[in-house]
Amino acid sequence: PPQTAAVLSHPLGDVQKIAIANVPSTVFNGPINWNNEVTTPAGNHFRTTYASGFIEVGSSGAALLDENHRLTGHMHGASGTPSCEQTRGFFGRLAMAWECGDPSAQLSSFLDPLDSDTLWINALEGLRSPVFKTDAGEPVPNVRVDILIDDWYLTTVTTDAEGRLPLPAADIPSEGTIHLEMSKPSSYTNGVTVTDLIRMQRHVLTTVLLEPYKILACDVNLSNSLTTLDLIRIRKAILNITPDFGNDSAAIWQFFPAQSGFEVPTQPWPAAARENRFSYELSPNLWLPDFVVVKSGDANGSASLE
């Protein structure tokens, strides 16, 4: 039985709720007489008592998740006075559905037809779909991400209108290194005008400082500083003297793993090189972060996101 547990459901069809149990569940050793005139035998259910949260009609079928985030049972019913405290739920035990009854109807026949005797499988947390947004929280569509596994090209996916990146879960292995190479089609002068130069100049003169992600956007020569040299490069692009921001400059769009804040807001420089390539070791505990997208040279956030 789970030592602690949680269940997410839609009690009475309401918006999704979570119920939390802080004490161990137990195997219910008696039969249960249900109100549909069905009786289930002793030992078929876990009984879980919740410290907070709610389950009710409409919660049936919800997964009972243990302390390892693994599904161990599914909701059949409840007892006691419905409230947000001390609500008891009865969950059909996954182990019973796995191996009891008619072999053609056992879960093991469908989920382990090779009889591998695997005791459990972790959730694929590493395949969470990241969301791409600006520092102002606007979703960024049409971000192109090339996915490589151990430097072998796997596929290319693109963010949707909500900025979410769909990942091909079935094709990504459980081990190895996943590389995400990011880009977004656009022109260098998208959102870059004389207004941006004025804002950058004020920052250089320390009269009005830019926010951290705007500083990163305007450091187009990747020197980990914002100086008049960056202004010169951007001015040349605005005047069509150069087609881009010069040699060894920032990409048109830059991508950064989202974080809650910067220790020194005026010096937001990342430790890694700004190459728009991110690598993660695949493991059951991997959690891909969301990403902040900035348009290089855009100090006021006016670039088109389409």
Side-chain angles (χ1 to χ4, degrees), residues 4-260:
T4 60
V7 59
L8 292 101
S9 68
H10 295 268
L12 285 179
D14 198 1
V15 295
Q16 192 176 68
K17 302 291 197 302
I18 183 169
I20 301 293
N22 296 324
V23 296
S25 301
T26 58
V27 174
F28 187 66
N29 290 320
I32 300 178
N33 299 313
W34 301 99
N35 56 12
N36 61 354
E37 300 182 357
V38 171
T39 298
T40 50
N44 271 29
H45 289 81
F46 289 132
R47 181 168 64 181
T48 302
T49 302
Y50 295 98
S52 60
F54 198 74
I55 51 177
E56 205 171 14
V57 174
S59 297
S60 297
L64 178 67
L65 303 174
D66 69 7
E67 63 275 12
N68 298 307
H69 301 171
R70 299 174 189 147
L71 185 156
T72 59
H74 49 284
M75 165 67 68
H76 282 175
S79 68
T81 302
S83 69
C84 285
E85 295 182 356
Q86 302 303 313
T87 300
R88 290 194 300 273
F90 291 89
F91 293 82
R93 294 170 59 194
L94 180 65
M96 302 299 289
W98 189 264
E99 61 186 8
C100 292
D102 183 351
S104 66
Q106 294 175 0
L107 279 183
S108 59
S109 299
F110 298 92
L111 300 182
D112 188 18
L114 301 181
D115 196 23
S116 67
D117 287 333
T118 300
L119 295 182
W120 46 262
I121 298 176
N122 281 324
L124 300 177
E125 295 184 59
L127 300 183
R128 168 186 176 270
S129 294
V131 176
F132 290 67
K133 293 184 178 182
T134 67
D135 58 323
E138 300 172 277
V140 182
N142 303 320
V143 174
R144 173 191 170 107
V145 179
D146 296 329
I147 300 177
L148 299 88
I149 304 295
D150 293 332
D151 290 323
W152 289 89
Y153 173 79
L154 177 65
T155 189
T156 298
V157 289
T158 305
T159 56
D160 60 20
E162 301 301 320
R164 186 168 294 280
L165 186 74
L167 292 176
D171 298 327
I172 297 179
S174 59
E175 296 180 348
T177 303
I178 184 172
H179 306 281
L180 307 177
E181 298 182 353
M182 304 173 184
S183 62
K184 180 173 169 61
S186 186
S187 67
Y188 275 90
T189 54
N190 174 16
V192 181
T193 66
V194 174
T195 302
D196 297 292
L197 294 176
I198 294 172
R199 296 196 66 173
M200 292 174 61
Q201 192 166 18
R202 289 174 176 171
H203 177 88
V204 171
L205 296 173
T206 68
T207 56
V208 181
L209 297 179
L210 291 171
E211 296 176 349
Y213 284 111
K214 295 298 187 288
I215 297 174
L216 289 167
C218 295
D219 174 27
V220 296
N221 66 1
L222 301 179
S223 65
N224 284 353
S225 61
L226 180 50
T227 67
T228 54
L229 297 177
D230 298 293
L231 275 77
I232 292 171
R233 290 195 178 204
I234 293 174
R235 184 180 294 112
K236 287 182 177 180
I238 294 174
L239 297 174
N240 292 320
I241 297 174
T242 59
D244 51 32
F245 296 133
N247 295 330
D248 301 320
S249 63
I252 298 175
W253 295 86
Q254 300 181 60
F255 304 87
F256 301 94
Q259 58 188 70
S260 58

